Every structure is written in C-alpha cells, then in structure tokens.
Amino acid sequence: MKMISLKEKAINYRKRGYSYNMISQEMGLSKGTLSDWLREIPYKPNKEVIKRIGLARMKSANFRHEQRMSDIVNMRNLAKKDIGKLTKRDLWLLGIGIYLGEGSKLYEHIRVINSDSGIIKITMRWFREICGLSDENFAPRAYTYPDNDVNETVRYWSKITGISKKQFRTTQIDRRNNKSGKKKRKLPYGTLHIQIRSCGKKELGRSLHRRIMGWIEAVSS
C-alpha cells in the first residue's frame, strides 16, 4: 500500500472542503505551512465548515479567498515574465548567493543546509550544472524532530533531490527536551544537509570549496 505524505494528506482534506483551522487541528500542522502548501488549491467549503462558521460569513471568506487566489496566479505569471529564461550565468550567481547564505565556509567542507524544498532544488541543480557534480558525490542527511516520520522524511527529500534513499546517511533526530512545543510541525520534513564527497577527485573536494569561496569573494567585494 502506497504511503502518502503529509502534504498529500493536507491537499486531500482541502479538496474535500475543509478549512485551514480544521486541517490544522486534525493534522497538527501550522496555518503557515498549510498556506504554503494549499494556497493554489481550489476551495469550496463543505457542509461541516458552513455549519461551523455560518453561511453569510463563509460567503465573505470564500470571496476573499477567490480574490487572493486570482491575485497570486496573476502575480506569479507576471513574475515569470519578469525573470524570463534562466541562463547558466543566472544559475551560477543564484547558487553563489545560496551558498553565501546557507553553505559551510569552514574546514573546507562543502555543505548546504535548508528546510525549503525550492532552495534545495536550486542548490542541487547548481551543484550538478555549475560545479560538475554527479549523483555519487552527494551524501545527504536529514535532521528531524521527534514528531517527524523518519521514513516519510527521507522519501520526501529523496524525491526532491533525485538521490536514492540508499545514499542518504543516517537521519539525525533532535531530542532536546528544551525545544519549544510551539515549534512542533513547523518543519514537517525537518532540515536537509546536502554534503559533498569528492570520491577521490581533488577538484571536487577542497579545491572546489576554495573555488566556491573565491566566487563568493568575487561577487561580494
């Protein structure tokens, strides 16, 4: 039987007409996460939702939702026209910016850490197309919290990165007792650490790290 992800479950609830409040209560996810996942899903409230908050209020809320959805679609289409086709140089500079903010600068180890799937996708493309890395050079590791499903998390990041689950290093779970309860479900798939191994090729190890640091110095000077 196929296991479905948290995002897929949330989308199913939304398509069945449930509000953010109800999905949040049922799944233990924040409204911010739901907004990121569901903002483009067409929404028609079901009978249970209408009964809870009243028809008049729902009509008003539904109207605002439709306006918001329309504005999001229009602005995203406009943004795509603004950007145009991404050139190799565009990708090169974009990746340098990501590494400047999210990459490891010490010990000449190449690593990028982030929880955003969009950032991870761009980073993987940058490593492959600009840095000349192949799949064997990636050693990803997921960092999770006790409320995350480890198997589901690895499946998720494997799909995002295009790297086999077998290639992932052992998942690290943050079990610190002093973590705020408010942070639960804030990161439903934890954080991914993209670590690079040279596989015996000097130009893909310390030399590549030094080159990346040179790129950063060149664009920030």
Side-chain angles (χ1 to χ4, degrees):
M1 181 177 178
K2 179 184 176 182
M3 297 289 291
I4 65 174
S5 68
L6 286 173
K7 184 175 181 179
E8 290 173 322
K9 291 178 183 177
I11 290 174
N12 287 338
Y13 274 118
R14 191 62 168 173
K15 287 181 176 179
R16 286 159 52 197
Y18 287 95
S19 67
Y20 282 1
N21 277 334
M22 296 169 77
I23 300 173
S24 177
Q25 292 171 7
E26 178 68 25
M27 299 187 65
L29 294 169
S30 71
K31 292 181 183 178
T33 295
L34 293 176
S35 178
D36 288 340
W37 288 353
L38 308 176
R39 65 181 60 182
E40 295 186 18
I41 304 299
Y43 175 56
K44 182 178 181 180
N46 59 30
K47 292 181 180 179
E48 186 177 353
V49 174
I50 293 174
K51 183 178 180 181
R52 280 196 183 189
I53 66 177
L55 183 59
R57 184 180 172 189
M58 174 50 64
K59 285 182 178 179
S60 176
N62 200 42
F63 175 73
R64 290 195 301 272
H65 174 75
E66 293 298 330
Q67 282 189 315
R68 180 169 176 266
M69 290 284 294
S70 177
D71 186 62
I72 288 173
V73 171
N74 289 336
M75 288 302 100
R76 289 191 173 183
N77 288 336
L78 180 61
K80 288 179 181 179
K81 291 181 180 179
D82 291 338
I83 296 297
K85 185 177 180 180
L86 196 67
T87 67
K88 185 173 182 178
R89 182 171 178 80
D90 293 334
L91 176 62
W92 182 24
L93 295 174
L94 182 57
I96 292 171
I98 291 175
Y99 202 93
L100 175 61
E102 308 296 336
S104 173
K105 287 50 167 213
L106 302 176
Y107 311 118
E108 297 187 326
H109 293 164
I110 303 174
R111 180 175 62 188
V112 171
I113 303 171
N114 210 273
S115 61
D116 186 279
S117 61
I119 296 293
I120 295 299
K121 285 180 179 179
I122 295 171
T123 301
M124 293 296 296
R125 183 179 173 188
W126 184 71
F127 276 139
R128 286 175 168 127
E129 297 182 22
I130 303 301
C131 298
L133 300 176
S134 58
D135 286 356
E136 67 176 0
N137 297 119
F138 295 98
R141 187 196 301 272
Y143 280 71
T144 66
Y145 299 95
D147 56 308
N148 297 129
D149 183 302
V150 172
N151 292 328
E152 184 176 334
T153 295
V154 173
R155 279 195 297 270
Y156 174 79
W157 289 122
S158 175
K159 182 178 180 181
I160 293 296
T161 60
I163 300 298
S164 169
K165 291 181 292 183
K166 296 179 180 179
Q167 205 162 310
F168 275 64
R169 293 184 173 177
T170 303
T171 299
Q172 297 293 309
I173 303 175
D174 187 340
R175 299 187 184 278
R176 286 177 290 176
N177 294 324
N178 61 347
K179 298 295 286 185
S180 171
K182 293 181 180 180
K183 294 185 178 180
K184 288 186 176 181
R185 293 295 186 186
K186 290 290 186 179
L187 299 176
Y189 298 107
T191 301
L192 186 69
H193 292 217
I194 305 175
Q195 302 175 77
I196 302 303
R197 54 190 181 188
S198 66
C199 296
K201 297 180 180 179
K202 182 180 177 181
E203 67 274 17
L204 301 181
R206 291 180 178 178
S207 292
L208 178 57
H209 185 274
R210 292 168 184 171
R211 193 175 184 187
I212 292 172
M213 291 300 100
W215 291 343
I216 290 174
E217 182 179 346
V219 300
S220 58
S221 61

